[in-house]
């Protein structure tokens, strides 16, 4: 140990090379540093951001000279123990290195900033700015505060339970039942009770943040000032993200609104977490550390002694099961408290569900005559409709009936989708794009045909079918489309949604992007034209996902009771299907989530599937399917040969190819690991990791591109 650097510090850094190690690295330092301090450290020729970690309980003997740290990020208070516990837990649970979780949980800009740049950023705002912000504050103070609404009876009952009980709460409330108002008042009450308190409010998708942000700003900026409400999501610029993060870390921000990444925000005063639309799949990160922000939020709330509210009209089966009330066979009940808000605000009714049996329609019907008639009526009355199809592009494939050619992607086991607007064939998996061929590349036939329908085609077809229909103002009907293709440019989604809200659009065609969350006021009809596709999936969660999507979509219709009453039209949800008796549609007809959940949970219990069992996937990507599966088989053998702990409680399924087996010329395989015991699965995976790292380094697995573990996978 050198005299100049007498102290040893342990630093969590993120480097793929050390992911096998996973534990903090040791450095020398001139002064002792508090755990949680942000530092820059040398690694090889590079300099990286790191977090000083607690000393290991049994330090390894030091056999070589330690390198000194490169510097401390002055001016940022150390990350507190609660944040470090969260990071430690997430790393262990999701089988990642501590450094990866710790560093990716910090704003990306901190990684690249020099100490000098950071110091500039942390400087107090210049005086000019100060005056401006204080005038803004003054203006805000004069702005009429948005008062809390008088709660409905159901809202008031739920709110009282939230105040009285510890939770965690599952707020099961219909679409339009006023869940957001409950969140707002719970946040308000929490912040008023303690001047240090902070609230974290999570939403599944960036495109839902603007509306929510507006509602929270209107309510809280007049109370706590402009700086009190900040957002965190990937649609923000790096400097904006850093600014929000610093405000939360310093306790200045009282409310943090964000997507899944916000679960890792530094919140020293965390007192309340809200997870809106808790069932939504986007809470699960699908690359790198595959964490579930909802599940981490539950853990974090318990660890921090904060309250947590999960809200949904269609809860995940996991949360539904975890909130089961006690009964004679199950006197304990679940760990969560279930709260109900079945009614919509203002006596708005849920839409009537109309199922059209497509088997009884003329062949190749896209829109049944009855649906077109219903759409026509709505346009003529000046009401809006939403047509939902979860498939963008014009047609999913181009096809030659002479030689059988299909527009397959050369790099993936998938078709290239035909996009008519820009005459391209595009692969939605790898992005490979080509001009549409004039003639069949197989046989030269000039007649290659689009097969199947996407949103582009629906938009075109609807515009044609409704071309002679007039709105009350005698203008022709306007059809518009919102999907990932129309909203690539920044701000374009907001702009297109604003057009819908303003009444410019009569019929909106869209993917799931518009089916969720939005508070449309004038939509009275929603139609799912071809939902059956989703049921052909081999994934056991497919029915749950479809049911959710359709319930959410139905929830966009008839949200404004007064609007609906004034027109004496009943809101409707239309389903066109070849399988009208499927349990998903049967439950949907009755808006009966509890019945659907009971049926699905019964099946899951009988089959020993989540939430009655715990799962993980190990995936391998390689140049050939054979080597991908070979790696997985070797991993199984290694686990057995080494006699890993809990092998008797863990079931290893044989490796299989993924349903889309090849993407961008990489072959993908996976195997499922299942156990009735979560701790057993966790211990087993932890012990197994070292073997997987070791196997990866062996010459016979040279062609492996990557492997990964997905704990609690959402898609199988
Ligand atoms: P959810 O989040 O359950 O779908 P929202 O919170 O968006 O429902 O509420 C639906 C609509 O009802 C919103 O326009 C909201 O402003 C309004 N609303 C909610 N609670 C009340 C209330 N207590 N009184 C009047 N209007 C309310
Ligand atoms: Zn491709």
């Amino acid at each position: 140990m050198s005299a100049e650097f007498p102290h040893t510090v342990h630093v969590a850094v993120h480097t793929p090379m050390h992911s096998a190690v996973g534990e903090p690295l040791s450095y020398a330092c001139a002064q002792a540093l508090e755990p949680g301090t942000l530092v820059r450290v040398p690694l090889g020729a590079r300099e990286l951001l790191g977090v000083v970690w607690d000393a290991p309980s049994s330090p390894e003997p030091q056999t070589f000279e330690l390198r000194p740290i490169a510097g401390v990020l002055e001016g940022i208070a150390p990350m507190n123990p609660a944040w470090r516990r969260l990071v430690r837990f997430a790393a262990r649970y999701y089988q990642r290195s501590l450094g990866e979780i710790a560093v990716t949980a910090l704003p990306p800009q901190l990684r690249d900033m020099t100490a000098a740049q950071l110091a500039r950023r942390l400087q107090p705002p210049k005086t000019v700015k100060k005056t401006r912000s204080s005038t803004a504050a003054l203006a805000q103070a004069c702005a009429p505060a948005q008062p809390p609404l008088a709660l409905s009876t159901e809202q008031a009952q739920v709110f009282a339970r939230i105040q009285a009980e510890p939770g965690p709460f599952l707020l099961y409330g219909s679409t339009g039942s006023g869940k957001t108002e409950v969140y707002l008042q719970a946040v308000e009450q929490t912040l008023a009770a303690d001047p240090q308190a902070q609230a974290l409010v999570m939403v599944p998708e960036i495109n839902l943040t603007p509306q929510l942000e507006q509602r929270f700003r209107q309510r809280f900026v007049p109370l706590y000032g402009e700086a009190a409400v900040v957002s965190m999501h990937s649609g923000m610029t790096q400097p904006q993200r850093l600014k929000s993060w610093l405000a939360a870390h310093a306790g200045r921000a009282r409310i943090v609104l964000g997507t899944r990444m916000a679960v890792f925000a530094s919140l020293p005063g965390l007192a309340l977490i809200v997870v809106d639309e808790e069932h939504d799949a986007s809470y699960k990160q699908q690359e790198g550390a595959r964490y579930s922000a909802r599940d981490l939020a539950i853990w974090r709330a318990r660890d921090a002694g904060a309250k947590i509210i999960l809200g949904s009209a269609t809860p995940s089966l996991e949360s539904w099961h975890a909130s089961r009330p006690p009964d004679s066979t199950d006197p304990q009940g679940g760990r969560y408290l279930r709260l109900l808000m079945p009614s919509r605000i203002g006596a708005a009714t849920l839409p009537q569900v109309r199922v059209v049996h497509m088997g009884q329609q003329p062949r190749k019907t896209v829109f049944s005559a009855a649906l077109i008639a219903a759409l026509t009526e709505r346009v003529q009355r000046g009401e809006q409709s939403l047509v939902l199809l979860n498939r963008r592009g014009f047609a999913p494939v181009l096809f030659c009936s002479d030689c059988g050619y299909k527009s397959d992607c050369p790099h993936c086991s998938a078709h290239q989708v035909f996009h008519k607007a820009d005459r391209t064939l595009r692969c939605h998996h790898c992005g490979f794009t080509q001009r549409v061929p004039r003639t069949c590349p197989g046989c030269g036939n000039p007649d290659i045909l689009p097969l199947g329908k996407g949103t582009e085609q629906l938009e075109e077809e609807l515009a044609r079918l409704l071309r002679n229909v007039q709105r009350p103002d005698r203008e022709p009907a306007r059809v518009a489309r919102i999907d990932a293709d129309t909203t690539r440019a920044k701000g374009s989604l907001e702009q297109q949604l604003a057009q819908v809200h303003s009444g410019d659009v009569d019929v909106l065609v869209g993917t799931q992007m518009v089916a969720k969350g939005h508070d449309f006021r004038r939509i009275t009809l929603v139609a799912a034209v071809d939902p059956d596709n989703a049921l052909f999936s081999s994934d056991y969660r497919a029915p749950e996902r479809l049911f959710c999507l359709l319930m959410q979509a139905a929830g966009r219709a008839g949200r404004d009771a007064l609007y609906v009453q004034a027109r004496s039209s009943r809101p409707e949800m239309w389903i066109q299907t070849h399988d009208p008796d499927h349990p998903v549609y049967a439950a949907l007809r009755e808006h009966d989530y509890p019945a659907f959940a009971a049926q699905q949970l019964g099946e899951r219990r009988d089959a020993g599937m989540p939430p009655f069992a715990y799962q993980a996937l190990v995936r391998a990507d390689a140049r050939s399917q054979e080597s991908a599966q070979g790696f997985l088989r070797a991993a199984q053998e290694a686990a057995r040969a080494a006699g890993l702990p809990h092998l008797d409680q863990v079931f290893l399924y044989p490796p299989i190819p993924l349903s889309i087996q090849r993407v961008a010329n990489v072959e993908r395989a996976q195997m499922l690991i299942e156990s009735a015991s979560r701790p057993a699965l966790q211990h087993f995976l932890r012990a197994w990791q070292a073997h997987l790292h070791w196997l990866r380094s062996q010459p016979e697995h040279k062609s492996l591109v990557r492997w990964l573990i997905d704990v609690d996978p959402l898609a199988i």
Side-chain angles (χ1 to χ4, degrees):
M1 196 157 291
S2 83
E4 203 186 341
F5 302 109
H7 297 277
T8 301
V9 289
H10 307 276
V11 182
V13 290
H14 176 28
T15 151
M17 257 180 347
H18 287 75
S19 59
V21 183
E23 288 302 303
L25 305 177
S26 302
Y27 287 90
C29 190
Q31 81 267 39
L33 291 177
E34 206 183 312
T37 306
L38 301 184
V39 291
R40 298 188 65 82
V41 294
L43 193 84
R46 295 189 300 156
E47 204 182 279
L48 298 174
L49 173 66
V51 184
V52 173
W53 218 258
D54 315 70
S57 41
S58 49
E60 297 199 357
Q62 198 184 304
T63 51
F64 52 90
E65 186 85 5
L66 293 178
R67 294 176 77 178
I69 66 162
V72 172
L73 272 69
E74 304 284 354
I76 299 185
M79 308 306 300
N80 70 11
W83 184 86
R84 300 201 307 274
R85 284 195 300 273
L86 173 70
V87 164
R88 160 76 65 189
F89 170 77
R92 300 196 121 221
Y93 189 82
Y94 293 104
Q95 312 289 327
R96 309 296 294 196
S97 84
L98 187 67
E100 175 185 8
I101 303 273
V103 172
T104 51
L106 297 170
Q109 235 187 354
L110 278 186
R111 271 173 247 166
D112 321 316
M113 267 187 173
T114 64
Q117 284 169 325
L118 180 68
R120 266 200 305 277
R121 176 62 57 84
L122 291 173
Q123 257 169 23
K126 302 223 173 63
T127 16
V128 200
K129 266 203 181 145
K130 242 185 201 154
T131 11
R132 207 187 298 144
S133 62
S134 51
T135 20
L138 210 67
Q140 280 300 345
C142 301
Q146 222 1 251
L149 300 171
L151 294 180
S152 70
T153 317
E154 284 176 6
Q155 283 173 323
Q157 279 166 354
V158 158
F159 184 64
R161 298 287 299 276
I162 293 173
Q163 283 183 299
E165 316 249 1
F169 305 98
L170 174 69
L171 173 51
Y172 164 56
S174 299
T175 48
S177 61
K179 294 185 287 298
T180 312
E181 185 61 32
V182 172
Y183 307 152
L184 283 161
Q185 299 205 14
V187 168
E188 184 165 351
Q189 195 264 337
T190 305
L191 300 191
D194 172 2
Q196 313 292 315
Q198 293 178 298
L200 169 64
V201 181
M202 296 204 289
V203 282
E205 305 208 24
I206 304 177
N207 71 55
L208 294 177
T209 49
Q211 204 172 33
L212 190 80
E213 193 176 327
Q214 199 192 350
R215 282 171 83 172
F216 273 81
R217 289 200 156 274
Q218 278 173 353
R219 190 67 60 88
F220 292 105
V221 167
L223 293 176
Y224 297 111
E226 192 63 42
V229 186
V230 302
S231 296
M232 278 186 197
H233 56 76
S234 58
M236 297 163 63
T237 65
Q238 303 293 11
Q240 284 170 332
R241 260 172 80 176
L242 178 59
K243 195 172 160 214
S244 293
W245 187 88
L246 288 169
H249 180 59
R252 281 193 306 276
R254 306 289 308 277
I255 302 166
V256 173
L257 303 172
T259 50
R260 62 173 177 262
M261 66 166 67
V263 76
F264 286 112
S266 170
L267 293 159
L270 182 65
L272 174 68
I273 304 181
V274 172
V275 184
D276 192 23
E277 312 289 3
E278 67 86 27
H279 61 274
D280 200 285
S282 21
Y283 283 120
K284 186 86 168 21
Q285 166 84 16
Q286 290 299 356
E287 55 194 38
R290 300 184 163 221
Y291 64 88
S292 157
R294 177 200 58 209
D295 296 350
L296 284 180
I298 300 259
W299 190 91
R300 187 174 188 181
R302 194 187 37 191
D303 179 71
K307 286 199 180 183
I308 180 164
I309 310 171
L310 310 178
S312 177
T314 50
S316 62
L317 291 175
E318 282 80 3
S319 301
W320 188 250
H321 180 65
S323 66
R324 68 199 178 277
D327 64 24
S328 54
T329 58
D330 181 13
Q332 280 281 305
R335 327 186 284 294
Y336 308 167
L337 185 62
R338 192 184 289 172
L339 305 172
L340 311 179
M341 296 204 306
S343 318
R344 283 186 143 184
I345 286 293
T349 47
L350 285 166
Q352 183 171 18
V353 176
R354 313 203 34 177
V355 177
V356 181
H357 190 342
M358 293 307 275
Q360 294 167 357
Q361 299 286 320
R363 257 174 56 83
K364 295 202 168 170
T365 302
V366 183
F367 293 99
S368 59
L371 176 55
I372 289 298
L375 287 168
T376 300
E377 251 178 57
R378 308 272 156 171
V379 174
Q380 287 168 340
R381 287 207 299 260
E383 297 168 24
Q384 294 177 314
S385 303
L386 169 66
V387 173
L388 175 71
L389 179 68
N390 232 352
R391 205 183 306 126
R392 62 197 168 83
F394 189 84
V397 59
L398 276 187
F399 175 68
C400 169
S401 54
D402 277 7
C403 74
Y405 158 87
K406 281 186 177 160
S407 56
D408 289 330
C409 175
H411 310 296
C412 305
S413 46
H415 300 309
Q416 279 184 292
V417 174
F418 171 40
H419 289 256
K420 194 172 174 186
D422 57 0
R423 306 289 305 170
T424 56
L425 289 177
R426 261 189 260 156
C427 174
H428 289 183
H429 299 279
C430 73
F432 182 71
T433 303
Q434 285 172 304
R435 300 279 308 158
V436 171
R438 289 181 186 285
T439 59
C440 172
C443 67
N445 171 14
D447 253 8
I448 35 177
L449 296 170
L451 209 64
K453 315 274 171 202
T455 45
E456 240 185 77
Q457 191 171 166
L458 288 196
E459 180 191 17
E460 188 179 294
E461 186 117 352
L462 269 178
R464 188 178 63 76
L465 290 166
L466 300 177
R467 67 189 175 283
N468 296 324
V469 178
Q470 286 183 346
R471 309 161 20 128
D473 61 6
R474 309 226 147 243
E475 292 281 314
R478 289 180 204 159
V479 180
R481 167 168 60 97
I482 298 184
D483 57 27
D485 294 319
T486 67
T487 53
R488 264 180 232 291
K490 201 172 156 54
S492 61
L493 176 63
E494 286 87 338
Q495 193 201 329
Q496 289 168 43
L497 284 172
Q499 260 169 16
V500 179
H501 288 300
S502 77
D504 251 9
V505 173
D506 303 302
V507 181
L508 175 63
V509 176
T511 52
Q512 47 117 12
M513 188 184 253
V514 287
K516 303 193 266 186
H518 304 284
D519 193 15
F520 295 117
R521 308 305 289 168
R522 300 194 207 175
I523 288 183
T524 58
L525 183 151
V526 173
V529 289
D530 185 17
D532 292 347
N533 248 311
L535 294 170
F536 302 151
S537 158
S538 59
D539 191 334
Y540 69 92
R541 285 184 212 267
E544 179 186 1
R545 274 200 293 267
L546 179 63
F547 182 79
C548 254
L549 176 64
L550 295 177
M551 283 284 275
Q552 290 295 329
R556 298 318 107 207
R559 295 178 70 81
D560 191 333
L562 293 177
Y563 180 81
V564 170
Q565 274 153 21
R567 327 196 135 239
S568 63
S569 74
R570 171 113 201 239
E572 287 176 353
M573 167 86 200
W574 287 63
I575 307 282
Q576 297 193 145
T577 172
H578 288 275
D579 190 1
D581 299 323
H582 194 283
V584 166
Y585 304 131
L588 193 73
R589 244 183 230 147
E590 309 296 325
H591 298 286
D592 198 346
Y593 170 81
F596 176 74
Q599 181 260 337
Q600 288 284 309
L601 283 171
E603 280 183 15
R604 301 255 187 110
R605 186 193 301 271
D606 293 344
M609 283 189 299
F612 305 98
Y614 300 92
Q615 296 181 329
L617 283 176
V618 181
R619 199 175 103 190
D621 294 358
R623 288 294 157 208
S624 75
Q625 186 61 224
E626 186 36 47
S627 24
Q629 293 195 21
F631 176 79
L632 297 177
R633 264 193 306 276
Q636 287 206 1
E637 279 154 25
R640 295 207 173 91
L644 291 190
H646 305 292
L647 251 178
D648 55 330
Q649 290 179 66
V650 172
F651 191 81
L652 307 174
Y653 287 83
I656 51 165
L658 262 70
S659 58
I660 296 181
Q661 154 170 356
R662 187 168 52 104
V663 166
N665 296 319
V666 172
E667 288 283 341
R668 313 179 310 163
Q670 67 183 21
M671 63 184 167
L672 183 63
I673 326 295
E674 203 170 70
S675 175
S677 154
R678 188 177 243 163
L681 181 62
Q682 280 285 316
H683 287 150
F684 174 79
L685 291 174
R686 207 163 303 140
W688 203 12
Q689 274 218 51
H691 296 267
L692 287 157
H693 282 289
W694 180 82
L695 273 178
R696 167 83 168 101
S697 67
Q698 296 308 295
E700 64 266 36
H701 297 297
K702 226 176 37 251
S703 78
L704 193 73
V705 177
R706 69 179 80 83
W707 66 271
L708 59 92
I709 298 183
D710 187 348
V711 180
D712 303 332
L714 271 192
I716 291 186

